[in-house]
Amino acid sequence: AQSVTQLGSHVSVSEGALVLLRCNYSSSVPPYLFWYVQYPNQGLQLLLKYTTGATLVKGINGFEAEFKKSETSFHLTKPSAHMSDAAEYFCAVSDPGNTPLVFGKGTRLSVIA
Amino acid sequence: EAGVAQSPRYKIIEKRQSVAFWCNPISGHATLYWYQQILGQGPKLLIQFQNNGVVDDSQLPKDRFSAERLKGVDSTLKIQPAKLEDSAVYLCASSLDLSSYGYTFGSGTRLTVV
């Protein structure tokens, strides 16, 4: 069964600083990997995904993530944080096919002016 | 295209009462999911539908929760009777092709059981 571990329930960065949100997964087969963002009182919005091909994937709002099979990781980064990036971020994993997404517990990102 | 519609947005009920949530997925999306998101946690799958058939309901507390998807479009999730620990946001999502598009989530229904 798949599982996701997000290291750090809360990350705080200064505006303009690098954002790094960590995600490690467990899967018995090469997985599909996703990052979602959730703003207060809203649903989840897809930031980016990895299914096959290039291991460095770019998403919306300047975010990117790299699939590292040897480290079973899919960390999310953004070179320069903006105040509007403050939100909850969820990493999710799925086996290829029609299996449901399994989510991590989330990381709350705060951006300090 | 229109997104995933959910209603109501908020609901407050007393324990032991019943409640129902409604979801209208994106047109053409065959797969529909209900997730429960307890405060401070990630979403947890309750049930997955493919058209109007259940694919996975292994984590649905069937003694109190039920869900249906008539005609393979709209879906309702019901809780009867509600417990305090059911207080959560209930998220509906639909998907056309997971690898290409991921899921599209609705805004959710926030349930408070008092």
Side-chain angles (χ1 to χ4, degrees):
Chain A
Q2 315 100 312
S3 66
V4 175
T5 301
Q6 292 187 239
L7 297 176
S9 59
H10 182 209
V11 171
S12 184
V13 300
S14 298
E15 191 174 21
L18 172 71
V19 175
L20 171 60
L21 304 183
R22 299 179 186 274
C23 172
N24 289 88
Y25 68 89
S26 171
S27 177
S28 58
V29 298
Y32 289 171
L33 294 160
F34 302 79
W35 276 98
Y36 280 84
V37 61
Q38 186 176 36
Y39 298 99
N41 298 317
Q42 295 187 25
L44 282 76
Q45 179 184 8
L46 180 65
L47 274 178
L48 49 80
K49 59 179 173 65
Y50 168 80
T51 54
T52 59
T55 57
L56 179 64
V57 293
K58 296 184 183 299
I60 62 172
N61 302 338
F63 284 93
E64 62 181 37
E66 186 171 11
F67 169 56
K68 292 187 176 181
K69 183 178 178 181
S70 61
E71 300 177 8
T72 61
S73 68
F74 192 57
H75 302 331
L76 182 70
T77 60
K78 181 174 180 177
S80 176
H82 191 271
M83 297 297 289
S84 61
D85 295 327
E88 189 90 18
Y89 291 81
F90 293 94
C91 183
V93 64
S94 170
D95 285 345
N98 201 21
T99 58
L101 288 180
V102 174
F103 286 85
K105 292 185 175 181
T107 298
R108 182 163 61 91
L109 176 66
S110 297
V111 182
I112 304 168
Chain B
E1 77 183 349
V4 175
Q6 289 189 247
S7 66
R9 285 299 310 275
Y10 305 93
K11 190 74 175 179
I12 300 174
I13 62 171
E14 296 182 349
K15 59 184 179 183
R16 291 186 291 273
Q17 286 187 323
S18 62
V19 64
F21 313 127
W22 173 82
C23 173
N24 186 294
I26 292 175
S27 177
H29 282 196
T31 312
L32 184 148
Y33 310 84
W34 284 100
Y35 279 81
Q36 180 192 56
Q37 185 178 18
I38 293 173
L39 186 64
Q41 299 182 22
K44 185 187 82 169
L45 179 73
L46 291 175
I47 190 167
Q48 175 187 357
F49 290 95
Q50 181 74 18
N51 296 309
N52 60 348
V54 175
V55 176
D56 184 350
D57 64 355
S58 58
Q59 299 184 77
L60 186 73
K62 298 180 186 64
D63 57 332
R64 298 184 300 106
F65 286 65
S66 64
E68 61 181 6
R69 190 182 183 196
L70 298 176
K71 300 180 181 178
V73 182
D74 293 8
S75 177
T76 57
L77 176 69
K78 298 179 181 178
I79 307 175
Q80 182 178 13
K83 293 185 175 182
L84 296 177
E85 58 261 36
D86 298 331
S87 294
V89 175
Y90 291 84
L91 294 164
C92 179
S94 68
S95 176
L96 179 63
D97 177 344
L98 180 63
S99 65
S100 298
Y101 306 106
Y103 293 3
T104 302
F105 281 86
S107 297
T109 296
R110 182 177 297 276
L111 174 67
T112 302
V113 183
V114 299

XYZ file of all heavy atoms in Angstrom, chain B residues 12-108:
760
model
N -24.167 22.670 10.251
C -24.013 22.405 11.677
C -25.189 21.551 12.108
O -26.343 21.930 11.865
C -23.967 23.708 12.499
C -22.795 24.575 12.052
C -23.857 23.393 13.987
C -22.756 25.941 12.721
N -24.910 20.408 12.721
C -25.981 19.535 13.197
C -25.629 19.041 14.584
O -24.475 19.110 15.024
C -26.206 18.327 12.258
C -24.943 17.458 12.192
C -26.630 18.786 10.874
C -25.157 16.138 11.457
N -26.634 18.512 15.267
C -26.397 17.896 16.566
C -26.064 16.423 16.356
O -26.474 15.815 15.356
C -27.616 18.054 17.459
C -27.923 19.507 17.790
C -29.118 19.646 18.723
O -29.821 18.650 18.934
O -29.349 20.757 19.227
N -25.326 15.870 17.317
C -24.992 14.452 17.211
C -26.276 13.628 17.178
O -27.294 14.006 17.749
C -24.082 14.012 18.343
C -24.641 14.203 19.720
C -23.593 13.817 20.769
C -24.144 14.036 22.162
N -23.125 13.748 23.208
N -26.185 12.535 16.466
C -27.295 11.597 16.240
C -28.258 12.059 15.149
O -29.133 11.293 14.765
C -28.057 11.260 17.523
C -27.238 10.430 18.509
C -28.083 9.991 19.689
N -28.442 11.107 20.546
C -27.686 11.558 21.536
N -26.501 10.995 21.770
N -28.085 12.567 22.282
N -28.089 13.295 14.658
C -28.911 13.717 13.522
C -28.320 13.156 12.226
O -27.211 12.620 12.201
C -28.978 15.247 13.447
C -29.874 15.867 14.501
C -30.052 17.357 14.281
O -29.131 18.069 13.880
N -31.265 17.852 14.563
N -29.052 13.296 11.151
C -28.574 12.859 9.846
C -28.261 14.079 8.982
O -28.774 15.178 9.216
C -29.613 11.982 9.161
O -30.794 12.723 8.936
N -27.402 13.861 7.988
C -27.008 14.950 7.094
C -26.660 14.354 5.737
O -26.243 13.180 5.637
C -25.809 15.722 7.680
C -24.560 14.848 7.779
C -25.528 16.996 6.884
N -26.845 15.140 4.691
C -26.515 14.684 3.338
C -25.760 15.773 2.596
O -26.063 16.962 2.737
C -27.781 14.307 2.576
N -24.796 15.354 1.806
C -24.003 16.263 0.994
C -24.194 15.878 -0.465
O -24.328 14.698 -0.791
C -22.506 16.155 1.349
C -22.214 16.172 2.817
C -21.443 15.173 3.396
C -22.706 17.187 3.622
C -21.165 15.189 4.744
C -22.432 17.202 4.978
C -21.660 16.190 5.542
N -24.115 16.893 -1.313
C -24.347 16.670 -2.736
C -23.134 17.099 -3.549
O -22.455 18.080 -3.201
C -25.585 17.459 -3.169
C -25.857 17.460 -4.636
C -26.479 16.496 -5.365
C -25.526 18.502 -5.555
N -26.558 16.870 -6.686
C -25.982 18.098 -6.828
C -24.890 19.737 -5.433
C -25.814 18.878 -7.967
C -24.723 20.518 -6.561
C -25.181 20.079 -7.813
N -22.862 16.386 -4.612
C -21.734 16.701 -5.479
C -22.127 16.528 -6.939
O -22.715 15.500 -7.313
C -20.547 15.791 -5.169
S -19.159 15.949 -6.329
N -21.786 17.521 -7.746
C -21.959 17.432 -9.193
C -20.578 17.524 -9.841
O -19.960 18.579 -9.787
C -22.879 18.550 -9.709
C -23.183 18.396 -11.181
O -22.299 18.507 -12.019
N -24.420 18.128 -11.503
N -20.095 16.459 -10.431
C -18.725 16.464 -10.977
C -18.655 17.201 -12.310
O -19.673 17.630 -12.857
C -18.442 14.976 -11.169
C -19.787 14.400 -11.494
C -20.758 15.185 -10.644
N -17.466 17.344 -12.814
C -17.273 17.927 -14.133
C -17.887 16.997 -15.178
O -17.726 15.766 -15.096
C -15.782 18.169 -14.408
C -15.259 19.268 -13.483
C -15.533 18.519 -15.869
C -13.779 19.514 -13.573
N -18.568 17.595 -16.128
C -19.239 16.813 -17.151
C -18.256 15.900 -17.881
O -17.186 16.335 -18.325
C -19.912 17.756 -18.154
O -20.523 17.027 -19.198
N -18.628 14.642 -17.982
C -17.782 13.690 -18.685
C -16.795 12.944 -17.827
O -16.161 11.988 -18.290
N -16.633 13.366 -16.579
C -15.706 12.676 -15.676
C -16.380 11.422 -15.121
O -17.338 11.500 -14.373
C -15.288 13.593 -14.528
C -14.259 14.590 -14.925
N -13.503 15.287 -13.999
C -13.840 15.015 -16.141
C -12.667 16.088 -14.627
N -12.856 15.947 -15.927
N -15.823 10.277 -15.489
C -16.445 9.026 -15.077
C -16.148 8.672 -13.623
O -16.927 7.993 -12.969
C -15.970 7.892 -15.990
N -15.022 9.117 -13.123
C -14.608 8.714 -11.773
C -14.890 9.835 -10.781
O -14.567 10.990 -11.034
C -13.110 8.370 -11.754
O -12.811 7.491 -12.839
C -12.752 7.671 -10.448
N -15.504 9.471 -9.671
C -15.863 10.430 -8.625
C -15.401 9.890 -7.283
O -15.504 8.674 -7.015
C -17.380 10.664 -8.624
C -17.944 11.709 -7.656
C -19.187 12.370 -8.274
C -18.279 11.129 -6.308
N -14.881 10.780 -6.449
C -14.347 10.410 -5.145
C -14.963 11.305 -4.070
O -15.206 12.491 -4.287
C -12.831 10.622 -5.101
C -12.051 10.024 -6.246
C -11.918 10.705 -7.444
C -11.420 8.795 -6.114
C -11.188 10.176 -8.496
C -10.681 8.247 -7.157
C -10.570 8.948 -8.348
O -9.845 8.412 -9.388
N -15.163 10.716 -2.902
C -15.457 11.466 -1.691
C -14.283 11.267 -0.726
O -13.876 10.131 -0.447
C -16.732 10.982 -1.023
C -18.000 11.421 -1.680
C -18.803 10.706 -2.521
C -18.642 12.688 -1.518
N -19.885 11.452 -2.909
C -19.821 12.674 -2.295
C -18.344 13.844 -0.786
C -20.691 13.756 -2.365
C -19.215 14.918 -0.852
C -20.376 14.870 -1.635
N -13.778 12.393 -0.221
C -12.713 12.376 0.774
C -13.191 13.082 2.044
O -13.973 14.034 1.976
C -11.464 13.114 0.267
C -10.573 12.312 -0.664
C -10.878 12.189 -2.010
C -9.427 11.693 -0.189
C -10.052 11.469 -2.864
C -8.591 10.969 -1.034
C -8.918 10.858 -2.369
O -8.095 10.132 -3.210
N -12.690 12.636 3.168
C -12.923 13.296 4.456
C -11.617 13.953 4.902
O -10.576 13.296 4.922
C -13.367 12.269 5.505
C -13.637 12.864 6.882
C -13.784 11.780 7.939
O -12.892 10.953 8.127
N -14.912 11.765 8.623
N -11.682 15.239 5.231
C -10.493 15.944 5.698
C -10.751 16.502 7.095
O -11.448 17.504 7.260
C -10.104 17.066 4.740
C -8.788 17.742 5.125
C -8.371 18.834 4.155
O -9.168 19.340 3.371
N -7.102 19.206 4.204
N -10.201 15.843 8.078
C -10.288 16.302 9.455
C -9.259 17.410 9.662
O -8.173 17.377 9.073
C -10.067 15.133 10.430
C -11.240 14.144 10.309
C -9.907 15.613 11.861
C -11.060 12.865 11.088
N -9.597 18.378 10.492
C -8.738 19.544 10.711
C -7.313 19.127 11.049
O -7.090 18.307 11.940
C -9.316 20.397 11.840
C -8.617 21.736 12.097
C -8.757 22.651 10.896
C -9.165 22.397 13.350
N -6.364 19.660 10.301
C -4.955 19.374 10.550
C -4.439 18.112 9.901
O -3.284 17.735 10.112
N -5.274 17.452 9.117
C -4.862 16.217 8.460
C -5.058 16.315 6.950
O -5.738 17.202 6.454
C -5.663 15.035 9.011
C -5.468 14.813 10.493
C -6.234 13.595 10.986
O -6.577 12.702 10.208
N -6.482 13.544 12.282
N -4.463 15.351 6.242
C -4.682 15.268 4.814
C -5.995 14.579 4.505
O -6.567 13.898 5.355
N -6.498 14.766 3.306
C -7.752 14.094 2.925
C -7.611 12.574 2.955
O -6.570 12.028 2.580
C -7.986 14.594 1.491
C -7.207 15.865 1.385
C -6.005 15.657 2.247
N -8.666 11.919 3.397
C -8.715 10.462 3.456
C -9.872 9.969 2.603
O -11.000 10.451 2.739
C -8.893 9.988 4.896
C -8.823 8.473 5.052
C -9.177 8.061 6.472
C -10.676 7.998 6.670
N -11.071 7.367 7.939
N -9.582 9.018 1.727
C -10.615 8.518 0.822
C -11.723 7.809 1.589
O -11.469 6.971 2.462
C -10.008 7.541 -0.174
C -11.004 6.928 -1.164
C -11.443 7.971 -2.205
C -10.417 5.704 -1.859
N -12.968 8.154 1.248
C -14.114 7.418 1.766
C -14.627 6.423 0.732
O -14.881 5.260 1.043
C -15.238 8.393 2.152
C -14.971 9.295 3.360
C -16.127 10.273 3.536
C -14.788 8.460 4.623
N -14.822 6.893 -0.510
C -15.405 6.041 -1.524
C -15.023 6.539 -2.908
O -14.847 7.742 -3.120
C -16.942 5.964 -1.368
C -17.552 4.892 -2.274
C -17.587 7.326 -1.586
C -19.010 4.559 -1.921
N -14.874 5.596 -3.834
C -14.571 5.894 -5.231
C -15.627 5.243 -6.111
O -15.934 4.049 -5.956
C -13.198 5.351 -5.617
C -12.841 5.521 -7.091
C -11.557 4.819 -7.475
O -10.869 4.242 -6.640
N -11.207 4.877 -8.763
N -16.189 6.027 -7.028
C -17.153 5.532 -7.999
C -16.533 5.568 -9.398
O -15.796 6.488 -9.739
C -18.402 6.417 -8.049
C -19.278 6.358 -6.853
C -19.159 7.292 -5.830
C -20.260 5.382 -6.743
C -19.987 7.247 -4.724
C -21.097 5.339 -5.643
C -20.958 6.268 -4.624
N -16.848 4.574 -10.205
C -16.561 4.602 -11.630
C -17.933 4.505 -12.305
O -18.606 3.485 -12.216
C -15.668 3.427 -12.035
C -15.308 3.408 -13.509
C -14.277 4.456 -13.880
O -13.581 4.981 -13.009
N -14.171 4.767 -15.151
N -18.311 5.599 -12.982
C -19.686 5.747 -13.468
C -20.617 5.591 -12.260
O -20.445 6.308 -11.284
C -19.972 4.780 -14.601
C -19.100 5.098 -15.802
O -19.051 6.248 -16.257
N -18.388 4.109 -16.308
N -21.565 4.683 -12.250
C -22.439 4.577 -11.077
C -22.112 3.359 -10.228
O -22.896 2.985 -9.344
C -23.907 4.578 -11.495
C -24.230 3.405 -12.414
O -23.340 2.739 -12.893
N -25.501 3.164 -12.636
N -20.954 2.747 -10.466
C -20.533 1.605 -9.677
C -19.460 1.955 -8.673
O -18.623 2.816 -8.922
N -19.491 1.269 -7.524
C -18.496 1.491 -6.475
C -17.229 0.699 -6.795
O -17.286 -0.504 -7.038
C -19.046 1.055 -5.111
C -17.950 1.181 -4.042
C -20.257 1.904 -4.728
N -16.090 1.408 -6.801
C -14.802 0.761 -7.040
C -14.112 0.432 -5.729
O -13.538 -0.650 -5.573
C -13.893 1.661 -7.900
C -12.505 1.038 -8.067
C -14.532 1.944 -9.250
N -14.163 1.382 -4.782
C -13.469 1.197 -3.506
C -14.257 1.904 -2.421
O -14.415 3.120 -2.472
C -12.046 1.764 -3.605
C -11.217 1.532 -2.349
O -11.766 1.111 -1.310
O -9.997 1.786 -2.397
N -14.766 1.160 -1.469
C -15.423 1.752 -0.300
C -14.887 1.127 0.974
O -15.581 1.066 1.995
C -16.940 1.640 -0.378
C -17.415 0.198 -0.350
O -16.570 -0.723 -0.372
O -18.652 -0.020 -0.321
N -13.662 0.664 0.911
C -13.085 -0.059 2.037
C -12.903 0.801 3.284
O -12.837 0.275 4.390
C -11.736 -0.663 1.627
O -10.847 0.354 1.193
N -12.815 2.122 3.130
C -12.616 3.000 4.276
C -13.886 3.762 4.650
O -13.822 4.676 5.476
C -11.469 3.979 3.995
C -10.134 3.261 3.754
C -8.992 4.241 3.569
O -8.492 4.808 4.528
N -8.571 4.442 2.332
N -14.986 3.391 4.074
C -16.256 4.040 4.399
C -16.872 3.355 5.621
O -17.097 2.138 5.600
C -17.216 3.932 3.208
C -18.532 4.674 3.316
C -18.298 6.180 3.166
C -19.520 4.181 2.266
N -17.144 4.109 6.695
C -17.791 3.498 7.885
C -19.238 3.164 7.550
O -20.141 3.981 7.745
C -17.672 4.596 8.948
C -16.688 5.582 8.408
C -16.799 5.517 6.925
N -19.462 1.976 7.093
C -20.757 1.630 6.497
C -21.890 1.532 7.510
O -23.061 1.485 7.123
C -20.625 0.325 5.719
C -19.633 0.402 4.556
C -19.557 -0.917 3.826
C -18.468 -0.887 2.773
N -17.107 -0.716 3.353
N -21.560 1.532 8.794
C -22.638 1.493 9.789
C -23.351 2.836 9.875
O -24.496 2.914 10.332
C -22.091 1.102 11.158
C -20.995 2.037 11.642
O -20.292 2.633 10.796
O -20.836 2.181 12.872
N -22.697 3.903 9.388
C -23.322 5.218 9.485
C -23.236 6.035 8.206
O -23.985 6.974 8.023
C -22.687 6.010 10.618
C -22.867 5.382 11.985
C -22.299 6.237 13.104
N -20.868 6.482 12.944
C -20.359 7.643 12.566
N -21.158 8.650 12.290
N -19.058 7.794 12.450
N -22.303 5.706 7.344
C -22.109 6.440 6.098
C -22.666 5.637 4.921
O -22.512 4.414 4.868
C -20.619 6.701 5.834
C -19.986 7.763 6.699
C -19.860 7.590 8.066
C -19.497 8.928 6.135
C -19.258 8.559 8.863
C -18.886 9.898 6.917
C -18.771 9.713 8.277
N -23.277 6.357 3.987
C -23.700 5.740 2.741
C -23.505 6.734 1.609
O -23.494 7.952 1.831
C -25.149 5.286 2.803
O -26.003 6.400 2.960
N -23.315 6.225 0.411
C -23.134 7.099 -0.742
C -23.725 6.429 -1.961
O -23.755 5.199 -2.063
C -21.657 7.389 -0.968
N -24.199 7.252 -2.867
C -24.709 6.730 -4.118
C -24.404 7.704 -5.239
O -24.197 8.891 -5.013
C -26.209 6.470 -4.032
C -27.052 7.694 -3.754
C -28.535 7.357 -3.649
O -28.895 6.167 -3.686
O -29.337 8.299 -3.545
N -24.387 7.171 -6.434
C -24.153 7.986 -7.614
C -25.109 7.495 -8.697
O -24.809 6.619 -9.494
C -22.709 7.859 -8.109
C -22.380 8.887 -9.185
C -20.976 8.736 -9.711
N -20.675 9.788 -10.677
C -19.650 9.741 -11.514
N -18.817 8.718 -11.503
N -19.448 10.739 -12.353
N -26.278 8.090 -8.690
C -27.318 7.680 -9.610
C -26.996 8.166 -11.019
O -26.542 9.292 -11.199
C -28.675 8.230 -9.154
C -29.138 7.724 -7.777
C -30.432 8.389 -7.388
C -29.254 6.209 -7.768
N -27.203 7.306 -11.988
C -27.028 7.632 -13.403
C -25.599 8.045 -13.730
O -25.351 8.659 -14.770
C -28.004 8.727 -13.843
C -29.464 8.348 -13.657
C -30.399 9.454 -14.114
C -31.853 9.061 -13.895
N -32.800 10.146 -14.302
N -24.676 7.748 -12.834
C -23.275 8.019 -13.122
C -22.900 9.478 -13.193
O -21.854 9.814 -13.755
N -23.715 10.354 -12.598
C -23.390 11.784 -12.648
C -23.288 12.315 -11.218
O -22.256 12.168 -10.569
C -24.437 12.564 -13.474
C -24.047 14.040 -13.554
C -24.553 11.973 -14.869
N -24.387 12.907 -10.691
C -24.388 13.462 -9.345
C -24.196 12.374 -8.308
O -24.545 11.198 -8.520
C -25.715 14.176 -9.061
C -25.906 15.411 -9.894
O -25.084 15.643 -10.808
O -26.876 16.152 -9.657
N -23.704 12.803 -7.152
C -23.526 11.863 -6.051
C -23.970 12.515 -4.748
O -23.877 13.734 -4.586
C -22.057 11.450 -5.935
O -21.846 10.584 -4.840
N -24.466 11.690 -3.838
C -24.781 12.150 -2.492
C -24.071 11.271 -1.481
O -23.926 10.065 -1.677
C -26.289 12.123 -2.209
O -26.764 10.797 -2.430
C -27.029 13.082 -3.099
N -23.614 11.899 -0.411
C -22.992 11.215 0.719
C -23.856 11.510 1.948
O -24.189 12.656 2.200
C -21.575 11.732 0.937
C -20.812 11.188 2.150
C -20.460 9.719 1.952
C -19.542 12.003 2.387
N -24.233 10.474 2.666
C -25.099 10.638 3.820
C -24.440 10.082 5.077
O -23.730 9.070 5.022
C -26.441 9.935 3.588
C -27.243 10.486 2.422
C -28.550 9.717 2.238
C -29.332 10.262 1.047
N -30.589 9.509 0.807
N -24.711 10.757 6.186
C -24.261 10.285 7.490
C -25.490 10.177 8.386
O -26.259 11.126 8.517
C -23.247 11.243 8.134
C -22.092 11.547 7.179
C -22.699 10.634 9.428
C -21.120 12.597 7.719
N -25.677 8.994 8.962
C -26.829 8.788 9.840
C -26.584 7.612 10.780
O -26.449 6.475 10.312
C -28.093 8.519 9.015
C -29.353 8.329 9.844
C -30.587 8.105 8.990
O -30.491 7.847 7.795
N -31.750 8.193 9.599
N -26.470 7.832 12.081
C -26.486 9.117 12.771
C -25.086 9.706 12.876
O -24.097 8.970 12.901
C -26.993 8.715 14.155
C -26.413 7.339 14.356
C -26.402 6.693 12.992
N -24.992 11.012 12.950
C -23.687 11.666 13.029
C -23.102 11.577 14.434
O -23.833 11.559 15.429
C -23.820 13.127 12.616
N -21.775 11.514 14.492
C -21.038 11.540 15.744
C -20.146 12.783 15.764
O -19.857 13.362 14.713
C -20.173 10.295 15.887
C -20.945 9.003 16.042
C -19.983 7.847 16.296
C -20.735 6.561 16.576
N -19.824 5.428 16.870
N -19.700 13.137 16.943
C -18.843 14.317 17.080
C -17.608 14.202 16.192
O -17.173 15.192 15.594
C -18.430 14.525 18.534
C -19.547 14.828 19.530
C -18.980 14.925 20.939
C -20.285 16.117 19.169
N -17.048 12.987 16.096
C -15.809 12.796 15.330
C -16.005 12.886 13.820
O -15.034 12.815 13.057
C -15.142 11.463 15.680
C -16.022 10.256 15.444
C -16.678 9.777 16.729
O -17.042 10.630 17.572
O -16.810 8.530 16.870
N -17.260 13.048 13.386
C -17.512 13.232 11.953
C -17.294 14.682 11.520
O -17.374 14.995 10.317
C -18.937 12.806 11.597
C -19.195 11.336 11.859
O -18.233 10.547 11.779
O -20.360 10.990 12.168
N -17.051 15.562 12.481
C -16.775 16.959 12.144
C -15.533 17.021 11.264
O -14.444 16.576 11.655
C -16.551 17.785 13.415
O -17.729 17.854 14.173
N -15.699 17.552 10.058
C -14.621 17.536 9.066
C -15.103 18.296 7.834
O -16.254 18.728 7.751
C -14.270 16.102 8.668
N -14.199 18.439 6.881
C -14.576 18.929 5.553
C -14.710 17.719 4.642
O -13.815 16.860 4.605
C -13.533 19.910 4.990
C -13.898 20.305 3.558
C -13.429 21.145 5.871
N -15.810 17.650 3.924
C -16.053 16.546 3.004
C -15.833 17.071 1.580
O -16.539 17.961 1.116
C -17.445 15.964 3.211
C -17.510 15.254 4.545
C -17.771 15.967 5.711
C -17.214 13.896 4.646
C -17.758 15.333 6.961
C -17.201 13.257 5.876
C -17.470 13.979 7.028
O -17.442 13.352 8.246
N -14.843 16.501 0.952
C -14.422 16.945 -0.369
C -14.859 15.944 -1.432
O -14.684 14.739 -1.270
C -12.896 17.075 -0.426
C -12.270 18.158 0.442
C -10.782 17.916 0.598
C -12.522 19.533 -0.155
N -15.393 16.468 -2.502
C -15.729 15.659 -3.658
C -14.725 15.992 -4.765
O -14.325 17.148 -4.930
C -17.141 15.956 -4.133
S -17.652 15.030 -5.602
N -14.305 14.992 -5.489
C -13.375 15.199 -6.599
C -13.809 14.336 -7.771
O -14.421 13.278 -7.586
C -11.946 14.855 -6.195
N -13.481 14.788 -8.970
C -13.747 13.959 -10.144
C -12.509 13.929 -11.027
O -11.634 14.791 -10.933
C -14.964 14.464 -10.923
O -14.707 15.715 -11.538
N -12.450 12.919 -11.861
C -11.256 12.706 -12.675
C -11.639 12.103 -14.019
O -12.485 11.205 -14.089
C -10.281 11.789 -11.935
O -9.161 11.479 -12.729
N -10.989 12.615 -15.067
C -11.144 12.030 -16.396
C -10.029 11.028 -16.653
O -10.260 9.914 -17.089
C -11.116 13.140 -17.446
C -11.232 12.699 -18.910
C -12.563 12.024 -19.160
C -11.051 13.901 -19.836
N -8.813 11.446 -16.354
C -7.641 10.613 -16.585
C -6.594 11.050 -15.573
O -6.059 12.145 -15.694
C -7.129 10.819 -18.014
C -5.851 10.025 -18.295
O -5.198 9.577 -17.343
O -5.500 9.870 -19.466
N -6.333 10.207 -14.591
C -5.459 10.600 -13.492
C -4.091 11.048 -13.981
O -3.552 12.047 -13.513
C -5.323 9.441 -12.510
C -4.439 9.706 -11.292
C -5.022 10.829 -10.443
C -4.274 8.446 -10.463
N -3.517 10.315 -14.933
C -2.152 10.624 -15.339
C -2.062 11.934 -16.095
O -1.042 12.615 -16.064
C -1.591 9.491 -16.198
O -2.315 9.386 -17.408
N -3.109 12.303 -16.772
C -3.067 13.518 -17.586
C -3.560 14.746 -16.835
O -3.033 15.835 -17.005
C -3.906 13.335 -18.846
O -3.394 12.287 -19.631
N -4.573 14.570 -16.003
C -5.225 15.730 -15.413
C -5.287 15.724 -13.898
O -5.654 16.728 -13.291
C -6.649 15.854 -15.960
C -6.715 15.885 -17.476
C -7.175 14.779 -18.180
C -6.313 17.000 -18.189
C -7.228 14.787 -19.565
C -6.367 17.019 -19.569
C -6.818 15.914 -20.251
O -6.868 15.927 -21.617
N -4.982 14.613 -13.263
C -5.144 14.563 -11.813
C -6.616 14.639 -11.451
O -7.489 14.303 -12.244
N -6.872 15.041 -10.233
C -8.241 15.222 -9.768
C -8.591 16.700 -9.803
O -7.732 17.556 -9.596
C -8.392 14.807 -8.303
C -8.238 13.363 -7.966
C -7.899 12.402 -8.900
C -8.411 12.944 -6.651
C -7.748 11.083 -8.548
C -8.274 11.624 -6.288
C -7.938 10.695 -7.236
O -7.780 9.381 -6.887
N -9.890 16.988 -9.979
C -10.421 18.324 -9.747
C -11.310 18.244 -8.526
O -12.246 17.435 -8.492
C -11.220 18.832 -10.953
O -10.375 18.835 -12.109
C -11.712 20.246 -10.692
N -11.003 19.077 -7.548
C -11.743 19.059 -6.285
C -12.788 20.163 -6.245
O -12.592 21.251 -6.787
C -10.798 19.277 -5.100
C -10.029 18.051 -4.706
C -8.836 17.737 -5.332
C -10.500 17.199 -3.719
C -8.122 16.607 -4.983
C -9.795 16.072 -3.360
C -8.607 15.771 -3.996
N -13.892 19.877 -5.559
C -14.835 20.911 -5.210
C -14.348 21.682 -3.987
O -13.301 21.356 -3.410
N -15.110 22.701 -3.594
C -14.717 23.546 -2.457
C -14.969 22.879 -1.111
O -14.487 23.341 -0.099
C -15.454 24.877 -2.506
O -15.080 25.587 -3.676
N -15.751 21.806 -1.126
C -15.971 21.063 0.102
C -17.179 21.524 0.896
O -17.700 22.625 0.712
